[in-house]
Amino acid sequence: MDKPAQQRTGLLQGTLDMLILRTLLYGPAHGHQIGKHIQRTTNDFLQMQHGSLYPALHRLEERGWVSAKWETAPDRNREFKYYRLTDKGKKQLVVEESQWKQMSEAVARVMWPTAEES
Amino acid sequence: MKWWQIKKRRADLERELLSDLELEEEEQQERGLPPEEARSAARRAFGNTTLIKEQTHEAWGWGPVERFLQDFRYALRQLRRFPGFALTIVLILALGIGANTAIFSVIDAVMFRALPVENPQQLVLFTWTSRQQLKLHGHSDFGDCDSTSSDCSLSVPFFRAVRAQANSFSSVAAFAGPLEVNFLGEGSAVIAHGEYVSGDFFSTLGIKTILGRQLGLSDDSPSAPPVIVLDYGYWQRAFGADPSVVGRVVRVNSTQVAIVGVVGPRFRHLTPGKTQDFFMPLSLVDRVRNEWWNDRDRLSDPAIFWVSMVGRLKPEVSIGQAQVEVSNIFRNQVLHGATPLSSPADSPAIRLLPARQGLNGESVEYGPMLNLIMVAVGLVLLVACANVAGLMLARSARRQKEMATRQALGASRARIARQLLTESVVLSLAGGVSGVLVSIWGVHALVQLLSQGTTQPFAFVIAPDWRVLAFTTAVTLATGVLSGLAPIFRDARVDLTPFLKESASSTLGGPQRGRGIRLGDTFVIVQVALSLVVLAGAGLLVRTLTNLHQLHPGFDTQNVLLFGLNPKIAGYTDAQTVELYRNVQQRLAALPGVVSASYSEDALVSQSISGLDVHLDGAAPKSNINTYSLAVGPGFFSTMHIPVLSGRVFSSADFSSAFATNAAVTAAEESARKLPVGSASSANLISPTAPVSAHPLQLAPVPVMINQAFALRFFPNRNPLGLHIGDAQEDEPAKGPQPGFLIVGIVGDTKYRDLRGEVRPMMFLPLVGNSAHFELRSAIDPNELVKPVRGIVSAIDNKLPLFDVRTQTEQIEQTLFRERITSRLSSFFALLALLLACIGLYGLMSYTVTRRTSEIGIRMALGAERSRIAGMVLRESLLLVLCGLLVGVPAAAFASRLIANQLFGLKPGDPVTLLAACVLMVGVATIASYLPARRAASVDPMQALRSE
């Protein structure tokens, strides 16, 4: 069922991109780690769907915001595809962060107007 | 990302997902789950990996392309699985598209193609109208416009007046021809066709020469040195495209002319379908004359209408304005000239027509035939579409289970639609490409076929028309694509489960025998009905041709060689001509293998006729009768095996007396014309050059023979032998007393113009001049005589060309060429339609049998005999055919009325033909359904039931 799936990613797309970029600010990580990290940090509030994670990662790579490379994991004797934030990605993260801030402030003003009006 | 990296990326993604899946699995194990459960837990956490892959592919931006390729590969695989189906569809599409494009291209070229000149839309043709015929001295047309609806022959003085006085045109040109001339260029003399053109013809039309120069105004004056310009095709054929031809001097009739140029290949003739071998200026008309023209000056006599005129309108002038202006000039000339040709009451006027619309002479010739074929081909296209639709539907019905499975596995409707669409498009494209090939070949074949009718090269420029091709391709492809998509529309709201159960699709009358199949039945019925219409039409045309072939034309057509001689344009006088003919006839008769030889003005059944108005003695004044006439040489009737019913044939005395009378009458007419009315004096009449010494009344009447039809029609109760006719004294006193004719013999009826025409009263005269066609009755294959005959003629005069050498049977075949082509083409398309309909029937029946395999198995297990099973299938398919016939027979009977005027010897809706078409249809349909029936009968009941 293509349609609903696409709607879901569409809804989350901007946010998910930002979360991924933010996660990669700590350093390179592979897909599994990124997913787990977001899930853990939000106390399992955001259940990471692999169906959206991988397309998002590949999209970010396609746009040049992250770069990917197969590297051996420090703790395991196996190669993983590590994603790393590029300079372009860092700038994008700043842009998205400020956009998100503006957005949530705007939403907040509508939702809890009293604080502003006083 | 670049397109070629996709493959690497796909492997990369595969590896990435796999490694992360393993990691997940390890983590689950670390949490204490046993390995098996850990694996499934990991998979659960991951979800549908295929979906993830697909969605990630989307992120690469090449999703649509990838999906298309995937569909494309799948489509190819599907088609490879059923090569018979794919091949059939491609073949049907190819024939449908190809045949239609070919026929439409030809029709377009013949009927609608723009003129091959600069800015053809500015060009108008002059035609004239008058309530009563004008009093003309002469009128000839060369088939440039459809003479039944308009007359486009005008006089040269009128042309000059328009050129001098009219302001509506930037230029005006006149042309006439082509005219047969004796052409002596390379080697021996030949008959060539010259077109008279005014000096500004080339500049008006914007025709370019590829060699030398055009004709100009300075060439079109009586004092100019005579020059001609060659047609491109003739330059190629007769001069081997020799560039040194410019400047060469050739002889046209008895005039030396210089070749000054060669016209480019793009221009053939203003009238589509006509050609000429060269162009000569109008001023040459005094020296290069048609044998039929009298001695009047065709350049200055306003009462001889013989040239066609085209004008190029100035941009700001409308056709209506121009028409008013030139009509005034015309009226002025015909009403107020030295001798008025008309009266104001007849309101003579000029009507201007767009040149392309007016110059349609040759299209009229081919139009009805092409229209008929077009209808046949159109019906075939319909059959083809119905066929494709039927086959696609049957196949999609067979794939319902597959579709249901795919849907159950989560494929979206759009995805399945895309898949089906790709398959249809692949099929249709393959059909389209083959259709292009077929159409190229078809145009070529059609041109070949049409050229058989003329000895001249086929003059229409024909190439496959790409617009038409695009249209037919679009229609056919749309059919393919739409019917390919049908399962989607149909299955929009169906319950999936029945399709997943094999058993549900294997019995008759179950819920699955739904719309698609009944639609399939309809398609077969439609095909049968349409094919029957084409088949019956073709049958009528074929039988028409057979009837014409079986017709006895009144003379023996076998073993006769024909050839033409035209001594007059080679400079012979009448006396010399008579001498020449006698000489040739004697030598031919002495040839081994020749039984007898004779000649006549025209060959029989050659589409040329002459006619005469004669007055029957004793009939009321001014009541002339019209009769066919044919001048013949000695021995004509015995050579052609035409029976003499009573009286006698012409004796040599008849020929001498006819010659004397003819010479005297011609001379008298000439001297009368050369003397202006009123100034005639006896002193001038008795000039030493005038050969007339006897008063015409004292001349012996010309001995004639009549055919039986003449005798029965005009002398029903009398013996016509010895009777005198044609004393037209009372009718046309101005013409002077005429010697008339004396009937000396009666012969059997023969066909004259063509085989179709009714036998009409006909009069045979002794031939004493003019051109003639020789007839040689041979005891051997007449074609073997061609060489010795050429030898004899060139031994007598090597500047005298033979033309139209052919046998009498070939001559008749030539007149039947339209019938032959229509019957051949319509049979071809009828058989094609029949074949398509049977393919459709076969497809449907085999599909039914496949679907009902288990039902048949059960029946057999219950004791049904194999012959009964086969009978059941046959009965079902013949029922469909019968339904088709029920619709088709009345349709065919109705449609055949549209071709009533093309039939001969039978009526439209001829029951025998209809019955034969039905029998053929049923016969072929039986064969087509025999194969599925046999397959049904050979079903192994055990296997059929086991497959349940």
Side-chain angles (χ1 to χ4, degrees):
Chain A
M1 302 288 138
D2 294 2
K3 264 244 167 89
Q6 271 159 8
Q7 275 164 3
R8 203 161 51 220
T9 50
L11 197 70
L12 279 173
Q13 193 168 310
T15 327
L16 181 60
D17 287 0
M18 182 176 71
L19 295 182
I20 294 171
L21 292 176
R22 181 66 185 81
T23 309
L24 288 177
L25 207 54
Y26 298 116
H30 53 77
H32 186 73
Q33 288 174 325
I34 297 170
K36 279 273 142 51
H37 177 260
I38 294 173
Q39 207 168 322
R40 256 199 319 271
T41 340
T42 61
N43 289 330
D44 285 350
F45 180 76
L46 288 178
Q47 288 280 340
M48 271 320 294
Q49 296 280 346
H50 291 81
S52 6
L53 178 64
Y54 290 96
L57 280 171
H58 283 255
R59 195 168 47 242
L60 294 179
E61 187 184 355
E62 200 57 35
R63 290 180 188 161
W65 294 341
V66 301
S67 62
K69 204 175 174 191
W70 286 88
E71 279 166 32
T72 315
D75 52 339
R76 282 186 176 77
N77 194 17
R78 210 164 64 213
E79 280 198 328
F80 291 98
K81 191 174 180 186
Y82 277 94
Y83 293 89
R84 174 174 281 116
L85 205 55
T86 62
D87 289 345
K88 220 171 140 192
K90 280 177 192 153
K91 276 177 206 148
Q92 179 64 23
L93 179 60
V94 174
V95 171
E96 292 202 5
E97 213 178 331
S98 74
Q99 271 175 0
W100 176 258
K101 233 179 223 158
Q102 279 175 5
M103 165 97 166
S104 54
E105 278 169 15
V107 170
R109 259 180 244 130
V110 176
M111 296 305 291
W112 305 282
T114 44
E116 280 288 313
E117 261 174 335
S118 57
Chain B
M1 180 179 55
K2 296 293 182 287
W3 166 238
W4 57 85
Q5 294 170 327
I6 283 267
K7 219 169 177 168
K8 205 176 142 236
R9 290 293 293 261
R10 194 179 295 138
D12 187 64
L13 176 67
E14 188 85 16
R15 191 174 160 204
E16 181 180 8
L17 289 175
L18 202 69
S19 72
D20 283 3
L21 192 63
E22 276 175 26
L23 206 59
E24 178 77 34
E25 193 182 323
E26 280 168 28
E27 280 178 12
Q28 297 283 1
Q29 267 180 337
E30 278 164 21
R31 263 189 233 164
L33 282 177
E36 276 304 307
E37 275 178 52
R39 173 164 301 168
S40 50
R43 279 186 191 272
R44 261 198 313 278
F46 239 73
N48 187 341
T49 45
T50 313
L51 197 64
I52 295 178
K53 272 188 231 167
E54 269 187 25
Q55 282 167 1
T56 314
H57 278 228
E58 289 293 323
W60 296 341
W62 285 99
V65 182
E66 271 196 286
R67 271 197 309 275
F68 170 74
L69 278 188
Q70 197 185 359
D71 287 343
F72 184 71
R73 269 194 302 273
Y74 188 75
L76 284 187
R77 207 155 60 215
Q78 277 290 324
L79 298 180
R80 259 207 305 277
R81 266 185 66 202
F82 303 99
F85 166 80
L87 210 67
T88 312
I89 296 267
V90 168
L91 207 67
I92 293 168
L93 288 176
L95 286 172
I97 295 170
N100 270 279
T101 309
I103 198 80
F104 276 106
S105 303
V106 172
I107 288 177
D108 178 72
V110 173
M111 318 277 280
F112 309 114
R113 182 68 46 91
L115 294 171
V117 298
E118 271 177 16
N119 300 325
Q121 72 287 350
Q122 297 173 343
L123 222 52
V124 291
L125 174 79
F126 286 64
T127 66
W128 61 272
T129 55
S130 165
R131 291 221 184 97
Q132 297 259 321
Q133 263 304 329
L134 302 183
K135 296 188 198 73
L136 299 177
H137 294 146
H139 180 279
S140 42
D141 77 79
F142 295 87
D144 290 296
C145 46
D146 180 6
S147 52
T148 55
S149 60
S150 58
D151 191 325
C152 60
S153 300
L154 288 154
S155 72
V156 175
F158 173 67
F159 163 62
R160 288 184 177 151
V162 169
R163 191 158 62 181
Q165 298 164 28
N167 294 317
S168 309
F169 305 95
S170 54
S171 62
V172 188
F175 59 98
L179 193 80
E180 281 189 359
V181 301
N182 204 334
F183 192 93
L184 184 62
E186 311 272 278
S188 54
V190 291
I191 294 287
H193 301 86
E195 179 88 8
Y196 284 115
V197 295
S198 61
D200 39 12
F201 182 77
F202 287 85
S203 55
T204 302
L205 300 180
I207 302 166
K208 304 273 181 291
T209 51
I210 52 158
L211 269 183
R213 63 173 181 89
Q214 309 172 342
L215 296 179
L217 276 175
S218 58
D219 298 309
D220 192 8
S221 88
S223 57
V227 291
I228 61 168
V229 166
L230 291 182
D231 177 79
Y232 182 83
Y234 192 64
W235 176 59
Q236 298 250 312
R237 282 196 310 278
F239 292 90
D242 180 359
S244 72
V245 77
V246 172
R248 207 174 291 176
V249 173
V250 295
R251 213 186 68 185
V252 172
N253 286 359
S254 32
T255 306
Q256 303 282 332
V257 299
I259 298 172
V260 294
V262 177
V263 164
R266 214 168 80 84
F267 184 79
R268 298 228 178 145
H269 194 285
L270 256 188
T271 304
K274 283 179 72 176
T275 57
Q276 62 284 304
D277 297 331
F278 64 91
F279 301 88
M280 50 188 169
L282 280 177
S283 59
L284 266 182
V285 76
D286 276 342
R287 282 162 280 185
V288 182
R289 300 183 67 83
N290 188 314
E291 54 168 321
W292 303 112
W293 293 347
N294 53 30
D295 289 341
R296 289 176 188 278
D297 185 355
R298 305 187 79 82
L299 295 180
S300 63
D301 191 336
I304 297 183
F305 281 24
W306 68 289
V307 294
S308 302
M309 289 171 59
V310 287
R312 192 175 281 287
L313 287 176
K314 285 179 182 164
E316 69 278 7
V317 178
S318 77
I319 201 163
Q321 291 169 321
Q323 189 163 300
V324 171
E325 187 183 28
V326 292
S327 276
N328 283 334
I329 300 175
F330 185 66
R331 244 192 308 278
N332 196 33
Q333 215 169 56
V334 299
L335 297 180
H336 311 300
T339 45
L341 308 176
S342 176
S343 65
D346 292 335
S347 53
I350 290 286
R351 201 157 58 98
L352 295 178
L353 296 174
R356 182 61 184 98
Q357 182 196 328
L359 292 167
N360 60 358
E362 292 286 310
S363 315
V364 172
E365 179 92 355
Y366 292 100
M369 173 176 88
L370 290 174
N371 282 335
L372 188 141
I373 298 169
M374 185 173 75
V375 171
V377 173
L379 288 177
V380 171
L381 183 67
L382 279 182
V383 173
C385 286
N387 205 313
V388 169
L391 284 177
M392 292 291 237
L393 278 182
R395 196 171 103 96
S396 66
R398 197 183 306 193
R399 290 175 65 186
Q400 271 169 347
K401 201 179 138 201
E402 176 197 339
M403 295 304 147
T405 314
R406 287 162 141 255
Q407 242 175 306
L409 289 179
S412 70
R413 194 171 292 285
R415 189 77 181 79
I416 293 181
R418 207 156 50 208
Q419 164 76 56
L420 287 173
L421 193 65
T422 314
E423 275 183 49
S424 312
V425 167
V426 167
L427 259 186
S428 306
L429 278 183
V433 171
S434 329
V436 173
L437 297 178
V438 171
S439 74
I440 291 171
W441 172 82
V443 164
H444 185 72
L446 264 179
V447 169
Q448 288 278 316
L449 211 56
L450 291 174
S451 327
Q452 287 172 5
T454 68
T455 46
Q456 290 288 309
F458 191 68
F460 293 103
V461 191
I462 298 181
D465 188 305
W466 302 110
R467 292 165 300 165
V468 177
L469 187 64
F471 172 76
T472 37
T473 312
V475 170
T476 337
L477 297 199
T479 315
V481 169
L482 283 180
S483 47
L485 281 179
I488 306 190
F489 306 122
R490 191 177 49 196
D491 300 345
R493 273 177 212 86
V494 289
D495 178 14
L496 294 177
T497 16
F499 295 112
L500 292 172
K501 294 191 197 153
E502 173 80 346
S503 60
S505 67
S506 54
T507 49
L508 186 63
Q512 83 294 337
R513 201 175 151 79
R515 260 167 52 204
I517 310 313
R518 267 190 264 123
L519 201 56
D521 288 351
T522 319
F523 279 132
V524 167
I525 292 170
V526 166
Q527 288 177 51
V528 169
L530 288 175
S531 312
L532 189 81
V533 172
V534 187
L535 211 54
L540 289 172
L541 293 168
V542 168
R543 288 192 62 204
T544 291
L545 187 63
T546 324
N547 285 349
L548 285 168
H549 271 141
Q550 283 170 352
L551 185 93
H552 184 64
F555 61 97
D556 184 0
T557 58
Q558 300 299 312
N559 289 334
V560 177
L561 183 73
L562 304 173
F563 67 88
L565 285 183
N566 196 340
K568 194 169 182 181
I569 58 175
Y572 281 61
T573 63
D574 280 355
Q576 286 169 326
T577 304
V578 169
E579 185 51 38
L580 171 80
Y581 287 168
R582 188 180 308 149
N583 199 350
V584 172
Q585 187 184 18
Q586 266 171 15
R587 295 214 204 173
L588 290 178
L591 261 181
V594 173
V595 177
S596 68
S598 186
Y599 51 91
S600 54
E601 185 186 342
D602 281 311
L604 291 173
V605 195
S606 63
Q607 284 175 322
S608 349
I609 45 153
S610 312
L612 272 179
D613 283 340
V614 292
H615 183 256
L616 297 178
D617 285 13
K622 301 211 173 197
S623 63
N624 289 340
I625 55 127
N626 183 266
T627 170
Y628 278 155
S629 70
L630 178 66
V632 300
F636 176 77
F637 301 101
S638 59
T639 303
M640 295 313 288
H641 293 180
I642 298 170
V644 179
L645 302 177
S646 69
R648 59 176 178 84
V649 293
F650 295 131
S651 65
S652 53
D654 290 334
F655 282 95
S656 338
S657 101
F659 180 78
T661 306
N662 186 53
V665 170
T666 317
E669 274 178 5
E670 243 170 71
S671 56
R673 192 182 59 76
K674 277 178 183 156
L675 292 173
V677 187
S679 72
S681 72
S682 55
N684 281 355
L685 254 181
I686 313 167
S687 69
T689 47
V692 195
S693 50
H695 190 276
L697 258 189
Q698 291 162 338
L699 293 165
V702 175
V704 296
M705 300 177 69
I706 56 173
N707 68 354
Q708 205 175 4
F710 194 112
L712 289 176
R713 173 98 173 265
F714 300 121
F715 305 106
N717 305 312
R718 275 200 290 172
N719 180 2
L721 289 184
L723 290 181
H724 179 263
I725 51 173
D727 188 354
Q729 212 173 351
E730 313 151 63
D731 291 74
E732 293 175 57
K735 217 176 165 188
Q738 301 287 308
F741 310 99
L742 185 73
I743 299 169
V744 300
I746 304 174
V747 294
D749 290 337
T750 60
K751 293 284 181 178
Y752 187 9
R753 177 204 285 268
D754 51 27
L755 292 180
R756 270 174 189 263
E758 292 282 310
V759 170
R760 288 182 50 196
M762 183 163 176
M763 196 165 87
F764 297 91
L765 302 100
L767 191 150
V768 289
N770 294 334
S771 63
H773 289 263
F774 274 76
E775 291 101 4
L776 270 79
R777 168 75 55 189
S778 77
I780 54 172
D781 176 5
N783 286 308
E784 285 176 28
L785 293 173
V786 174
K787 221 175 161 189
V789 165
R790 282 190 188 279
I792 285 175
V793 174
S794 72
I796 295 173
D797 181 350
N798 66 358
K799 293 196 172 58
L800 191 63
L802 263 69
F803 61 91
D804 285 355
V805 183
R806 75 281 190 207
T807 66
Q808 179 75 56
T809 37
E810 283 167 357
Q811 170 64 58
I812 293 177
E813 281 306 307
Q814 229 175 66
T815 67
L816 289 179
F817 116 95
R818 241 183 299 175
E819 283 85 356
R820 202 169 50 244
I821 286 184
T822 35
S823 84
R824 257 194 223 166
L825 283 180
S826 62
S827 320
F828 173 74
F829 289 117
L831 292 180
L832 190 62
L834 180 68
L835 184 72
L836 289 181
C838 287
I839 290 176
L841 187 67
Y842 169 79
L844 185 75
M845 289 326 288
S846 11
Y847 163 67
T848 317
V849 167
T850 314
R851 269 171 34 110
R852 290 168 59 183
T853 306
S854 42
E855 178 208 335
I856 293 168
I858 294 172
R859 281 171 186 264
M860 283 188 166
L862 292 179
E865 283 168 36
R866 291 186 183 276
S867 58
R868 277 190 64 113
I869 299 288
M872 179 184 74
V873 175
L874 269 183
R875 205 163 41 243
E876 196 173 307
S877 91
L878 288 183
L879 192 69
L880 287 179
V881 173
L882 205 66
C883 290
L885 293 186
L886 279 180
V887 183
V889 168
F894 173 78
S896 64
R897 270 196 259 156
L898 304 177
I899 55 167
N901 60 353
Q902 312 222 15
L903 303 181
F904 182 84
L906 33 78
K907 289 194 170 55
D910 176 60
V912 178
T913 312
L914 274 179
L915 189 70
C918 291
V919 168
L920 185 63
M921 186 83 231
V922 171
V924 180
T926 311
I927 298 172
S929 33
Y930 173 71
L931 293 173
R934 203 180 59 173
R935 206 167 62 219
S938 62
V939 164
D940 178 353
M942 284 321 290
Q943 228 161 34
L945 292 174
R946 219 175 280 137
S947 79
E948 195 67 356

